[in-house]
């Protein structure tokens, strides 16, 4: 059974890992559009695939590319650094250039015989119709106006959204077999009760088509005073206004106010267009920044921090002047909207038309003037289960929210028609409700080269000349060019937290992210999982280093190894470890071991480990002699015996304890004060278990004894430039990194740092004894580490690392070869692993015992 803390650690990873978290742009999109994916496809010049991804969720990509309030951009990670990706602009480019009605998905299930009535042909009703039609239900839409689109058509000016685009995209409903009855107003031309009787379900999706005036003001109903709704609807139908003329003042600070002010400039009988708002400046407006900028460019004049005090009219009963008062604050001490005015600071403005853009509401006539009562999640009427709501009349404020509610209501209707619970098992976050992602990457974790100058500035589409465009209702903003689209797509950070998966070469073979893997462990139990997973970890800790949350993953696998061993009679269950165990036993045996104490006391004992003695017996002797010369023969001893670290690594705890006890016995008997190591794994083992001070030979040289005197600057004439491979077991022992580089500088050799060094070094492949059970993965890890090299010659200070780097094709040396041999040149390059073996251990024993 795994230790409690290991299980808790796995639960912690499952609960907090961001590996499967969607990017913020996707989770904040009410329709959950895979923004990251389609931008990546666009960046790769795969527009045909990108439009397919968009259309998986959105039937109006060209519309939304122009008028979406794009909450996705507000959540964009890039916005925290400079400017958000122009997601809407890229969607528009993709849709305008690659969308093809012949490729639209018109598939739907067989007819169910069920009939659904939808009231309102705006984005909510249309999306609801699509979802229901594809499920096989018959849909009839009742629209009181003459055209499709709802408030898309009657509330958004043509210069922002051309009408042919609305017609084109809404045609999908017709192509799916939906029936649309225009000029039919429910409650007037047909009774709501009739729909209830004749249809199996009714979806109410009417928009906010009732404008609002400030009725607290005298003369609010005078001639020349309009609501934004009626003003924009008339312009949408006729491109003119019978009532608006002269100096036109719009009151409000949102996008609707900008639409009114900009539309006013395009009227034949207009002179000036003003916007009056309570906010202190343009930056404080709720209107989109680009809408404000466009209005300014066109000549709209802004009047900040003022509200209307009085409306004055002429003798014909038409507004001709307003008195405005200074707004000193918008909110009270509780943060509630409660404007405070200075009644003494007033001004007068001559106007001919006043447009109130201060809000709009839903016509509740079909519900006897009462507000609709419905479940906020399922959107089902609380009293009549046949009735559902979506869009403006429910709770949405923007187009894409309305679509999400239309889809959610349709899914509820589908369940209702199937006599199923309308909400059980559903998640509001996945159906357009407020959703947040766990995913957040600190700046240092952003992709490499994210902040190149070429990727800083947000791209914009060209616009028609402001002086010319106000003469017509032609579309103002142009679609991105191909070049601009690619550049903007290249700014996307492609947010995801799979840094550990990109670094680790083992986990991707078994999982998509740590959360998925450890969730499986918790559900199935480690004993029912593939043992090779735990044994393929090479203990390098790079996963933890790369993880923004610093999850400890290695120890989970190590504990599993120990448990697998316990269940197998304290021996590794994997056949690949049999040879390792046999070799460990020989390396710990008396035949291949020897202990020589100092002549008087053993202040320092050299324990050279296993790999270096098996490779370079003469270098072990030279190291021993160097220590005796500098520290005194009386003070220096040597123990040639294995610490049994590989046994511990594969989880054989009891066997490790027994084997390690043999070398500990030798340490204790000679009463050594300081252990000097040549092996990073030995260093950590003795530091943990020996109870003695432990120092590496490299640190000993730098701190106390120096390099051999005759080796000073020996390499200054060498034609070799070396890379240094740092050992991953001692990645946090920074003194080793510093000392190795000091040694090489003392020797006079030239060094060039390779990628991923010091604390961020990568495993050579040997870690975790991986090569014993997964040779293919071992080779790939070796090759990946070799690819970090910038030179053909590499120095290691671990015997196993040296062998791996040679296996990977580099001219690989152990640091001892430079310390104790003659000057090294390129011509000296050769393979050195062929002579590896226990016979060299015996040679070391012979040399130090003489």
């Amino acid at each position: 059974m795994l230790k409690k803390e290991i299980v808790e650690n796995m639960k912690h990873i499952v609960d907090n890992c961001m590996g499967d978290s969607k990017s913020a742009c996707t989770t904040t999109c009410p329709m959950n559009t895979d923004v990251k994916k389609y931008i990546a496809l666009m960046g790769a010049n795969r527009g045909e695939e990108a439009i397919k991804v968009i259309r998986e969720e959105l039937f109006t990509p060209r519309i939304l590319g122009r008028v979406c309030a794009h909450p996705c951009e507000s959540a964009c990670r890039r916005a925290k650094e400079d400017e958000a990706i122009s997601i809407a602009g890229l969607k528009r480019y993709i849709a305008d250039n690659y969308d093809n009605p012949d490729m639209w998905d018109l598939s739907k299930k067989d007819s169910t015989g069920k009939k659904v009535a939808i009231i309102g042909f705006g984005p909510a009703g249309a999306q609801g119709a699509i979802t229901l039609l594809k499920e096989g239900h018959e849909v009839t839409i009742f629209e009181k106006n003459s055209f499709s689109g709802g408030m898309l058509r009657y509330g958004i000016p043509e210069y922002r959204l051309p009408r042919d685009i609305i017609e084109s995209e809404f045609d999908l409903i017709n192509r799916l077999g939906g029936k649309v009855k225009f000029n039919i107003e429910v409650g007037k031309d047909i009774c709501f009760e009739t729909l209830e009787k004749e249809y199996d379900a009714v979806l109410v999706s009417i928009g906010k088509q009732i404008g609002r005036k400030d009725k607290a003001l005298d003369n609010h109903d005078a001639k020349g005073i309009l609501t934004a709704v009626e003003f924009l609807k008339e312009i949408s139908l006729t491109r003119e206004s019978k009532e608006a003329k002269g100096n036109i003042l719009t009151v409000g600070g949102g996008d609707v106010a900008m639409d009114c002010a900009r539309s006013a400039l395009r009227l034949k009988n207009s002179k000036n267009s003003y916007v009056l708002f309570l906010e202190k400046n343009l930056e404080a407006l709720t209107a989109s920044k680009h809408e404000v900028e466009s209005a300014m460019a066109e000549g709209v004049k802004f009047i900040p921090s003022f509200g209307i005090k009085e409306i004055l009219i002429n003798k014909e009963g038409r507004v001709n002047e307003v008195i405005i008062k200074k707004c000193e604050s918008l909110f009270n001490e509780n943060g509630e909207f409660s404007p405070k005015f200075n009644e003494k600071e007033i001004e007068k403005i001559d106007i001919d038309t006043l447009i109130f853009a201060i809000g709009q509401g839903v016509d509740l006539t079909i519900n006897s003037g009462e507000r609709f009562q419905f479940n906020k999640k399922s959107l089902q009427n609380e009293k009549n289960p046949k009735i559902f709501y979506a869009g403006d009349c429910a709770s949405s404020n923007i187009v894409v929210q309305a679509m999400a509610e239309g889809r959610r209501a349709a899914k509820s209707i589908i369940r209702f028609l199937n006599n199923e619970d309308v909400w059980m098992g559903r998640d509001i976050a996945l159906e357009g409700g407020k959703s947040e992602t766990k995913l957040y990457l600190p700046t240092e974790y952003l992709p490499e080269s994210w902040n190149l100058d070429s990727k800083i500035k947000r791209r914009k589409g060209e616009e028609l000349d402001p002086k010319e465009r106000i003469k017509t209702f032609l579309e103002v903003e142009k679609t991105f060019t191909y070049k601009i689209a690619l550049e903007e797509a290249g700014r996307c950070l492609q947010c995801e937290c799979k840094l550990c998966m990109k670094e680790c070469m083992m986990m991707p073979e078994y999982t998509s992210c740590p959360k998925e893997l450890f969730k499986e462990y918790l559900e199935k139990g480690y004993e029912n999982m593939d043992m090779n997973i735990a044994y393929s970890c090479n203990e390098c800790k790079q996963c933890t280093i790369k993880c923004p949350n610093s999850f400890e993953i290695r120890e989970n696998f190590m504990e599993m190894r120990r448990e697998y061993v316990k269940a197998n009679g304290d021996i590794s269950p994997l056949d690949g470890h049999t040879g390792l165990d046999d070799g460990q036993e020989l390396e710990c045996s008396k035949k291949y071991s020897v202990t020589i104490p100092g002549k008087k006391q053993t202040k320092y004992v050299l324990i050279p480990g296993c790999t270096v003695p098996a490779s370079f017996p003469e270098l072990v002797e030279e190291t021993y002699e160097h220590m005796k010369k500098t520290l005194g023969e009386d003070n220096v001893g040597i123990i040639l015996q294995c610490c049994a670290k590989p046994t511990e690594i594969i989880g054989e705890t009891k066997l490790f304890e027994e084997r390690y006890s043999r070398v500990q016995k030798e340490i204790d008997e000679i009463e050594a004060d300081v252990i000097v190591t040549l092996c990073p794994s030995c260093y950590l083992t003795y530091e943990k278990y020996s109870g003695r001070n432990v120092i590496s030979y490299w640190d000993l040289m730098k701190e106390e004894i120096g390099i051999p005197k005759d080796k000073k600057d020996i390499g200054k004439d060498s034609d070799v430039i070396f890379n240094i491979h740092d050992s991953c077991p001692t990645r946090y022992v920074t003194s080793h990194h510093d000392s190795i580089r000091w040694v090489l500088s003392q020797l006079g050799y030239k060094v060039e740092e390779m990628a991923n060094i010091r604390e961020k070094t990568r495993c050579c492949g040997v870690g975790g004894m991986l090569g014993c059970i997964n040779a293919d993965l071992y080779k790939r890890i070796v090759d990946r580490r070799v690819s970090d090299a910038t030179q053909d010659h590499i120095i290691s200070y671990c015997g196993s690392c040296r062998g791996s780097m040679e296996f990977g094709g580099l001219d690989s040396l152990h640091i001892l070869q430079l310390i104790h041999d003659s000057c090294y040149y390129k011509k000296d390059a050769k393979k050195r692993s062929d002579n590896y073996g226990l016979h060299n251990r015996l040679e070391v024993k012979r040399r130090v015992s003489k």
Side-chain angles (χ1 to χ4, degrees):
M1 181 179 294
L2 297 177
K3 293 177 182 177
K4 180 181 178 181
E5 56 264 35
I6 295 297
V7 174
E8 291 301 317
N9 183 48
M10 288 197 286
K11 289 179 180 178
H12 175 67
I13 293 171
V14 170
D15 291 341
N16 296 285
C17 176
M18 301 183 291
D20 68 340
S21 297
K22 295 179 180 179
S23 54
C25 53
T26 293
T27 57
T28 52
C29 173
M31 290 293 285
N32 294 123
T33 317
D34 196 340
V35 175
K36 185 178 75 172
K37 185 175 181 179
Y38 75 69
I39 290 181
L41 289 168
M42 182 60 242
N45 194 24
R46 294 158 63 185
E48 292 85 357
E49 295 174 63
I51 189 61
K52 290 180 181 178
V53 171
I54 295 172
R55 278 202 164 270
E56 286 175 1
E57 306 295 343
L58 305 175
F59 81 96
T60 56
R62 297 184 71 195
I63 292 173
L64 290 174
R66 288 164 166 80
V67 302
C68 186
H70 44 66
C72 52
E73 292 189 19
S74 300
C76 176
R77 176 65 183 86
R78 178 131 213 153
K80 309 297 188 297
E81 306 301 328
D82 44 79
E83 293 182 281
I85 307 301
S86 180
I87 297 171
L90 286 169
K91 184 190 294 104
R92 172 176 170 173
Y93 173 83
I94 295 166
D96 281 2
N97 287 277
Y98 297 102
D99 195 21
N100 181 356
D102 292 338
M103 301 300 291
W104 289 356
D105 179 13
L106 301 180
S107 63
K108 56 183 183 178
K109 296 181 181 179
D110 293 339
S111 175
T112 63
K114 302 288 187 179
K115 299 191 301 180
V116 180
I118 295 179
I119 304 173
F121 198 19
Q127 182 64 63
I130 292 168
T131 305
L132 290 164
L133 286 165
K134 292 183 77 65
E135 193 67 18
H137 301 311
E138 182 182 314
V139 173
T140 302
I141 300 173
F142 296 85
E143 169 56 51
K144 74 174 184 178
N145 293 305
S146 304
F147 302 98
S148 61
M151 294 304 288
L152 287 172
R153 179 183 292 273
Y154 301 112
I156 298 177
E158 190 174 359
Y159 62 81
R160 287 179 59 204
L161 180 58
R163 300 320 186 212
D164 63 311
I165 291 176
I166 299 175
E167 290 296 328
S168 171
E169 299 203 306
F170 271 67
D171 186 51
L172 176 61
I173 288 81
N174 297 318
R175 297 180 67 177
L176 284 169
K179 301 174 184 177
V180 184
K181 295 187 177 183
F182 291 106
N183 302 309
I184 301 292
E185 184 173 354
V186 177
K188 180 180 178 181
D189 301 307
I190 187 172
C191 294
F192 187 85
E193 291 75 15
T194 300
L195 299 184
E196 286 186 81
K197 292 177 183 178
E198 295 183 357
Y199 292 86
D200 298 294
V202 178
L203 172 58
V204 180
S205 59
I206 56 179
K208 292 179 179 177
Q209 299 188 16
I210 303 296
R212 177 173 172 260
K213 297 180 181 179
D214 188 349
K215 295 183 178 181
L217 295 169
D218 291 339
N219 299 322
H220 67 269
D221 56 353
K223 293 178 182 179
I225 299 180
L226 308 169
T227 67
V229 172
E230 60 184 320
F231 175 68
L232 292 173
K233 183 175 182 179
E234 183 182 11
I235 287 178
S236 174
L237 293 171
T238 67
R239 297 181 182 173
E240 269 302 331
S241 172
K242 295 178 181 179
E243 193 71 22
K245 64 180 181 179
N247 293 323
I248 302 173
L249 175 67
T250 300
V251 179
D255 281 337
V256 173
M258 299 306 115
D259 288 341
C260 292
R262 294 178 67 189
S263 294
L265 285 173
R266 289 163 167 76
L267 301 178
K268 292 179 181 178
N269 295 325
S270 68
K271 292 181 180 178
N272 296 294
S273 178
Y274 303 93
V275 176
L276 180 77
F277 55 90
L278 301 177
E279 290 83 355
K280 63 180 180 178
N281 53 42
L282 296 177
E283 289 71 29
L285 291 177
T286 58
S288 304
K289 180 181 177 182
H290 69 274
E291 286 299 314
V292 175
E293 291 174 347
S294 293
M296 290 182 66
E298 291 174 357
V300 173
K301 299 176 176 62
F302 291 91
I303 308 171
S305 299
F306 275 91
I308 294 180
K309 177 180 176 66
E310 189 176 352
I311 300 172
L312 303 179
I313 59 176
N314 59 21
K315 59 183 180 181
E316 285 82 26
R318 184 181 182 90
V319 61
N320 69 343
E321 193 175 56
V322 292
I323 300 174
I324 59 175
K325 54 187 177 181
K326 183 70 173 179
C327 179
E328 295 187 333
S329 64
L330 281 176
F331 304 97
N332 61 24
E333 59 274 10
N334 297 321
E336 300 165 330
F337 183 72
S338 179
K340 183 179 179 181
F341 297 95
N342 183 343
E343 300 286 345
K344 295 181 180 179
E345 188 175 345
I346 61 175
E347 295 181 18
K348 288 185 179 182
I349 305 176
D350 293 330
I351 62 170
D352 302 288
T353 308
L354 175 60
I355 301 171
F356 281 105
I358 56 175
Q360 52 206 70
V362 176
D363 185 349
L364 298 172
T365 302
I366 63 173
N367 201 44
S368 303
E370 297 182 9
R371 293 183 65 183
F372 301 131
Q373 300 295 319
F374 55 89
N375 182 284
K376 296 299 185 289
K377 290 183 178 179
S378 68
L379 303 174
Q380 185 178 40
N381 187 292
E382 293 179 347
K383 295 181 179 179
N384 188 338
K386 288 183 66 172
I387 303 172
F388 299 79
Y389 304 89
D392 286 351
C393 67
S395 61
S396 63
N397 295 309
I398 59 177
V399 177
V400 72
Q401 284 179 345
M403 292 170 61
E405 283 195 340
R407 182 170 65 182
R408 178 151 42 106
K411 289 183 177 181
S412 294
I413 291 172
I414 291 167
R415 288 195 175 203
F416 168 72
L417 296 178
N418 290 335
N419 296 313
E420 298 170 351
D421 185 287
V422 296
W423 191 253
M424 185 178 294
R426 294 167 68 183
D427 185 349
I428 188 71
L430 299 178
E431 296 194 31
K434 185 177 180 181
S435 175
E436 294 182 0
T437 180
K438 292 179 182 178
L439 180 61
Y440 181 79
L441 299 181
T443 305
E444 62 268 26
Y445 284 88
L446 296 181
E448 189 175 344
S449 74
W450 70 270
N451 56 351
L452 291 176
D453 289 345
S454 62
K455 294 186 178 182
I456 298 298
K457 189 175 180 180
R458 175 182 166 111
R459 274 59 171 180
K460 297 180 180 179
E462 293 182 9
E463 293 186 346
L464 299 179
D465 185 293
K467 293 180 181 179
E468 295 300 318
R469 72 198 194 205
I470 59 173
K471 298 177 183 178
T472 72
F473 280 86
L474 291 175
E475 188 172 17
V476 167
E477 187 174 343
K478 297 180 181 180
T479 302
F480 284 162
T481 63
Y482 171 74
K483 178 177 180 292
I484 292 296
L486 286 184
E487 289 176 348
E488 187 63 14
R491 296 180 66 241
C492 179
L493 300 174
Q494 287 296 302
C495 300
E496 68 173 359
C497 187
K498 291 197 176 181
L499 297 166
C500 60
M501 302 299 291
K502 292 174 182 177
E503 179 63 32
C504 178
M505 299 185 72
M506 177 276 286
M507 281 197 291
E509 294 193 357
Y510 300 101
T511 188
S512 66
C513 69
K515 176 178 181 176
E516 178 187 74
L517 179 63
F518 290 113
K519 183 179 181 182
E520 191 175 4
Y521 270 114
L522 291 172
E523 291 174 349
K524 294 182 178 180
Y526 75 95
E527 63 275 14
N528 298 313
M529 297 284 284
D530 182 356
M531 287 188 290
N532 281 301
I533 300 175
Y535 279 106
S536 290
C537 170
N538 55 7
E539 289 197 280
C540 66
K541 288 183 72 75
Q542 279 282 14
C543 52
T544 301
I545 293 170
K546 295 293 183 182
C547 176
N549 291 318
S550 300
F551 291 138
E552 288 287 349
I553 293 177
R554 180 192 70 159
E555 189 51 40
N556 292 344
F557 294 134
M558 293 306 299
E559 177 64 12
M560 290 176 202
R561 293 184 184 193
R562 290 188 279 269
E563 290 302 315
Y564 289 142
V565 167
K566 284 181 185 178
N568 194 54
D570 294 324
I571 295 294
S572 170
L574 300 185
D575 293 338
H577 290 146
T578 302
L580 174 66
D581 264 330
D582 293 342
Q584 284 277 279
E585 185 57 38
L586 288 173
E587 288 166 338
C588 294
S589 68
K590 289 184 178 181
K591 179 179 179 181
Y592 293 98
S593 302
V594 67
T595 298
I596 301 175
K599 290 190 176 180
K600 287 188 177 179
Q601 67 175 87
T602 311
K603 185 174 182 181
Y604 297 91
V605 60
L606 173 65
I607 308 183
C610 298
T611 311
V612 172
S615 301
F616 308 108
E618 69 284 356
L619 298 180
V620 176
E621 181 184 22
E622 292 283 357
T623 301
Y624 184 38
E625 292 300 320
H626 179 220
M627 288 177 59
K628 288 194 293 183
K629 287 177 184 177
T630 53
L631 298 169
E633 289 189 53
D634 293 344
N635 300 318
V636 177
I638 185 169
I639 297 176
L640 181 64
Q641 190 161 321
C642 181
C643 70
K645 180 64 174 178
T647 306
E648 183 181 38
I649 289 173
I650 64 175
E652 295 177 343
T653 304
K654 287 188 176 181
L655 197 51
F656 164 73
E657 291 172 352
E658 189 279 318
R659 287 173 176 165
Y660 176 78
S661 68
R662 303 181 202 177
V663 70
Q664 185 66 44
K665 180 172 179 285
E666 300 298 317
I667 295 169
D668 294 339
E669 285 185 354
I670 64 173
E671 298 181 340
D673 291 338
V674 180
I675 296 172
V676 181
T677 62
L678 300 180
C679 169
S681 292
C682 289
Y683 174 88
L684 295 177
T685 302
Y686 292 123
E687 188 179 53
K688 182 176 180 180
Y689 296 113
S690 71
R692 302 302 201 275
N693 290 325
V694 184
I695 189 170
S696 70
Y697 181 48
W698 340 118
D699 283 358
L700 181 67
M701 282 190 286
K702 184 173 184 290
E703 296 173 13
E704 296 187 48
I705 66 176
I707 64 170
K709 291 182 179 180
D710 62 336
K711 302 301 180 182
K712 176 69 174 173
D713 290 329
I714 192 173
K716 66 180 180 179
D717 295 326
S718 173
D719 57 354
V720 176
I721 300 176
F722 287 106
N723 282 157
I724 301 171
H725 164 70
D726 291 301
S727 177
C728 65
T730 51
R731 66 169 68 252
Y732 297 121
V733 187
T734 56
S735 64
H736 289 194
H737 313 151
D738 295 337
S739 294
I740 289 296
R741 286 156 179 80
W742 176 84
V743 167
L744 287 166
S745 69
Q746 291 291 299
L747 295 172
Y749 286 104
K750 293 179 283 293
V751 172
E752 181 177 276
E753 297 288 11
M754 64 192 293
N756 299 298
I757 58 171
R758 294 179 176 264
E759 295 90 340
K760 296 182 179 180
T761 190
R762 283 173 164 167
C763 181
C764 70
V766 171
M769 303 296 106
L770 174 64
C772 298
I773 56 101
N774 195 334
D776 177 65
L777 179 58
Y778 163 65
K779 179 62 167 61
R780 285 188 281 121
I781 292 174
V782 170
D783 290 343
R784 194 265 301 271
R785 181 52 175 160
V786 166
S787 72
D788 287 336
T790 61
Q791 296 291 330
D792 295 329
H793 308 273
I794 193 164
I795 292 294
S796 302
Y797 44 100
C798 166
S800 296
C801 291
R802 190 216 66 79
S804 288
M805 294 299 94
E806 181 176 285
F807 179 60
L810 295 178
D811 176 37
S812 180
L813 288 83
H814 194 282
I815 185 68
L816 290 175
Q817 292 176 266
L818 298 187
I819 295 171
H820 297 302
D821 282 345
S822 57
C823 182
Y824 191 84
Y825 297 95
K826 289 181 179 179
K827 65 180 178 59
D828 298 321
K830 63 178 180 179
K831 289 189 176 181
R832 299 170 177 85
S833 297
D834 292 342
N835 191 38
Y836 179 86
L838 285 171
H839 65 283
N840 283 329
R841 284 287 297 267
L842 292 176
E843 177 62 15
V844 173
K845 182 175 180 180
R846 184 190 68 78
R847 284 174 177 257
V848 301
S849 299
K850 62 184 179 182

